Each structure stands twice: as C-alpha cells, then as structure tokens.
Amino acid sequence: MEIREKTPAATHSLEEQFQAKIDADIRIEPKDWMPDAYRKTLIRQIGQHAHSEIVGMLPEGNWITRAPSLKRKAILLAKVQDEAGHGLYLYAAAETLGVDRDEMIRELHSGKAKYSSIFNYPTISWADMGAIGWLVDGAAILNQIPICRCSYGPYARAMVRICKEESFHQRQGFEILLTLANGSPEQRAMAQDSINRWYWPAVMMFGPSDADSTHSEQSMKWKIKRFSNDELRQRFVDMIAEQVKVLGLTLPDPDLKWNEERGHYDFGPIDWEEFWNIVKGNGPCNKQRIQTRRKAYDDGAWVREAALAYAVKKRRREVEKTGVQAA
Ligand code: BYC
C-alpha cells in the first residue's frame, strides 16, 4: 500500500520524497524515513564491508611476528590495527540502521554474511604484505572514495577517515615492493611472484561484471554506489598498469594494452568461475578464516563480559553519587 504524508502538499508519496532528497544530494540520516529495501541494502553492504575489514586483518596478521625489521613490524601492526578500527566504525554505522552487532557477527560466523573474496587467499611470503597494500588497498581506495559521497550519512562519514588510512596503507605496500624490486634477484623474484598471485584476485574485488551485478542498478539510483563495478575496475587497471612501471615489474596479463581510442587499458578475461567459487566459500582459506574469527570471538568473551560488568558498576556508582538515573 502506498503511504502518503498528511500535509497540505501531500501529493508525493514518502518514497517519492525520499528519492527527491537523494536526487538533490541531501543525506539520509538514521531517523529519516527510508524504504525497507534501502535499509536492507545498506545493512547488507555495510555489514559485509565491516566483516571484510575484520577478516582482512588475518592474512596480514599472519606476518606481524615475521616482519623483517622492527620498523616494518611497527608499520604492519599499525595497519592491522587500523583495519580493526575500520571494522568498528562500520559496525557502528550499520547499527544506526537498527541491526544488532551480535546478530551481524553471528551471520559472519554461520557463513550467511559475505565478506570480500580477496581475504580467502593465503599470504605465503613477506612480499605479499607489499602486494596487499599496493593492490588490495589500492582497489579498496578506488571503491571507497565514492562511498564518502554515499547517500546514507553515517556510512559516508565513516568512510572519510577510512579512506585517509587506506591511502597510507597503499603507500606502505608500494614501498615494500619498491624496496624488494630494487633488492637482490631473489627479492625481486619474490615481489614479482606476489604480484602474479594477487593481481587477478584484486581485479575481482570490484564484484561481478555490471551485467551480472544484482544490486548495482538500484544502489546507483539510491546513490549508495556512485560508479558501477566495471567502471571502478577499469580505473584500477589503468592506475596499476602505470604504477607497475615504476616498480620495473609486470602484471600477469598478456592482453594488457593501452587503447588509444578508449583512453583506457584493455585487459584480459577474468576467471569468474574462480571468483564465484571463492564467494561460495570454497576458496583456499575460507574455512580457516571463519574458524579463526570464531575462535577469536570465543576467546574474547571474557573481555566483553568484563567490560559490561565494569560499565554496570560505573553506572551504579554514578547513581549512588548523584542520585540521577542515566537514561
Ligand atoms: N567478494 O550486485 P553486486 C578492504 C557479492 S575491505 C565477495 O555487484 P554490490 C580491506 C555481493 O555481495 C574490502 N562477494 O553487489 C580490508 C552480492 O551478493 P549478495 C571490502 C562479493 O553490493 C582490510 C553479489 O556478489 N569493500 O578493502 O552492489 C585490509 C552480487 O554483487 C564481492 C567493501 O565492502 C566480492 N569481492 O557490489 C585491506 C566496499 N563482490 O550480497 C583492505 C563496500 C560482490 O547479494 N562494498 N560480491 O549475497 C561495495 O562497494 C559493494 O558491496 C561491492 C559489491 C562493490 C563489493
């Protein structure tokens, strides 16, 4: 049933007024009216994004104790901590839509909620820390800068700080690869091998091609997404194809070629079978990632309990002192 507002000028449905706000680039805030489907799409996307940040800590966390120097270790530790922070801002942004954080985490642990395909690949060498920073965070920046202009206020605002931090992440990754590329032949080979393994999975991070993207059309109308998956993917390839020249290394795509007419790089076919296989949970590390997250959650139960007990005690003391009951 169509709902109409009871005001004199109520010639437009709530849905039409909502879309008019979006068209005029007016942000939607948590207490504003919004269609259920808009709320659901945001909960899905922000939830998946938050999970990606938290699961994304694992492949790099794997190298913290094996970083080649104290400086590298401190930088990597800071980056992984940043990702925990990103997850927390994003869970908080999703909570403004009325979803419970524990429920989101349960969905991650049960396999119902998705997270980015990229984090289901193993990190087998130190150079992978460079490739993740350069390629994965590079892809993340291109995808996430437009989200700073997303129609939903809390998501857009959370993305501003996240993007600043991602930019540092990408630079540190590039610098790791540059150092290796200018090092011994073995180090150079290690950097090249890492790029060979991470390049295509990073290209896939942008999601299915536009023709197969179920949510893009609606999400773009709602300005949750500002560019399509393929548009962002093309920008990524154009950027990386130039930056790899500075490294003096190559990308594993024999079809990569500058197209003068299009003003873009042409690139080879994407292995969508590999992508969907990973999304469905059958990648090299899917099971391990979820198991690790579940264990971390269970092991952290005492911290959550202690924090809650402390909050209750603090509130009780305040009431005893002031006689005022907190809302
Ligand atoms: N992996 O209709 P589509 C980071 C799913 S964090 C897995 O195009 P949408 C970082 C999609 O969910 C990186 N699944 O969807 C962290 C949908 O399935 P459902 C994460 C994928 O939402 C730590 C179906 O395929 N970034 O960078 O319009 C360290 C159809 O797709 C993937 C974000 O989350 C994938 N790659 O567009 C370092 C950014 N792609 O839900 C780095 C925010 C698609 O219908 N998210 N699917 O079952 C987005 O921008 C969009 O959600 C996407 C997908 C572009 C990813």
Side-chain angles (χ1 to χ4, degrees):
M1 194 183 72
E2 196 181 31
I3 306 162
R4 287 180 187 270
E5 258 193 350
K6 290 178 195 148
T7 60
T11 48
H12 299 293
S13 67
L14 283 174
E15 190 116 18
E16 284 163 343
Q17 289 174 35
F18 171 82
Q19 189 60 49
K21 259 169 104 175
I22 294 204
D23 294 343
D25 277 328
I26 298 170
R27 286 257 162 87
I28 307 299
E29 296 299 336
K31 290 190 174 153
D32 294 345
W33 184 89
M34 61 184 85
D36 279 350
Y38 177 82
R39 189 185 297 276
K40 249 174 97 179
T41 293
L42 278 169
I43 291 174
R44 177 188 64 81
Q45 179 169 323
I46 304 174
Q48 286 177 3
H49 195 165
H51 298 327
S52 303
E53 298 284 353
I54 299 295
V55 177
M57 296 167 72
L58 302 175
E60 290 171 293
N62 182 33
W63 278 87
I64 291 173
T65 54
R66 291 179 286 161
S69 70
L70 185 60
K71 184 180 135 203
R72 293 289 185 204
K73 183 172 173 142
I75 296 171
L76 186 61
L77 199 56
K79 180 184 190 285
V80 173
Q81 282 174 347
D82 284 350
E83 280 147 14
H86 299 175
L88 296 184
Y89 316 148
L90 289 164
Y91 283 127
E95 282 178 309
T96 65
L97 291 153
V99 65
D100 180 59
R101 186 180 304 201
D102 283 337
E103 176 60 25
M104 284 188 280
I105 290 173
R106 264 196 299 277
E107 289 195 351
L108 170 70
H109 292 176
S110 71
K112 191 173 167 218
K114 293 192 167 74
Y115 59 89
S116 184
S117 48
I118 194 78
F119 301 117
N120 294 304
Y121 292 87
T123 43
I124 59 177
S125 77
W126 169 251
D128 288 358
M129 299 305 98
I132 290 183
W134 176 46
L135 297 170
V136 176
D137 290 271
I141 293 171
L142 285 177
N143 167 274
Q144 292 174 14
I145 282 178
I147 307 179
C148 298
R149 292 191 297 120
C150 159
S151 58
Y152 187 58
Y155 191 23
R157 287 189 289 274
M159 290 317 297
V160 174
R161 178 163 168 184
I162 293 180
C163 285
K164 285 186 183 154
E165 291 173 351
E166 295 290 12
S167 165
F168 145 68
H169 295 172
Q170 191 194 18
R171 282 184 204 183
Q172 67 86 38
F174 188 80
E175 204 261 333
I176 289 175
L177 287 181
L178 193 60
T179 305
L180 292 173
N182 292 320
S184 66
E186 289 81 6
Q187 286 172 322
R188 199 177 162 76
M190 186 164 70
Q192 183 62 62
D193 170 66
S194 181
I195 294 172
N196 292 350
R197 283 180 290 105
W198 287 94
Y199 175 70
W200 283 111
V203 170
M204 293 174 195
M205 273 177 78
F206 295 90
S209 65
D210 294 350
D212 296 321
S213 165
T214 35
H215 304 290
S216 279
E217 198 186 335
Q218 183 59 68
S219 288
M220 284 175 78
K221 269 193 204 135
W222 280 332
K223 295 188 181 168
I224 293 172
K225 280 170 110 165
R226 294 271 178 168
F227 299 98
S228 77
N229 298 357
D230 286 335
E231 282 171 322
L232 292 173
R233 190 179 350 263
Q234 180 70 62
R235 278 189 198 182
F236 175 73
V237 172
D238 290 348
M239 176 178 88
I240 294 301
E242 286 301 315
Q243 291 178 352
V244 77
K245 293 179 189 168
V246 181
L247 294 174
L249 299 171
T250 57
L251 297 177
D253 180 1
D255 298 321
L256 188 74
K257 198 166 172 268
W258 177 251
N259 182 325
E260 195 63 54
E261 215 172 291
R262 291 201 310 121
H264 290 291
Y265 276 90
D266 289 336
F267 54 97
I270 295 170
D271 185 349
W272 291 117
E273 205 181 312
E274 174 178 323
F275 172 75
W276 289 117
N277 199 35
I278 297 234
V279 172
K280 284 182 194 137
N282 305 319
C285 298
N286 292 62
K287 289 187 183 64
Q288 184 190 331
R289 299 289 183 240
I290 293 298
Q291 262 170 19
T292 310
R293 281 309 320 156
R294 278 206 202 117
K295 183 173 182 310
Y297 189 78
D298 293 345
D299 290 351
W302 70 272
V303 179
R304 294 190 297 279
E305 281 160 21
L308 270 176
Y310 177 69
V312 169
K313 191 169 85 179
K314 214 172 141 203
R315 216 174 300 137
R316 199 181 54 229
R317 285 199 180 146
E318 265 161 32
V319 172
E320 281 166 9
K321 214 165 101 192
T322 61
V324 181
Q325 192 83 37

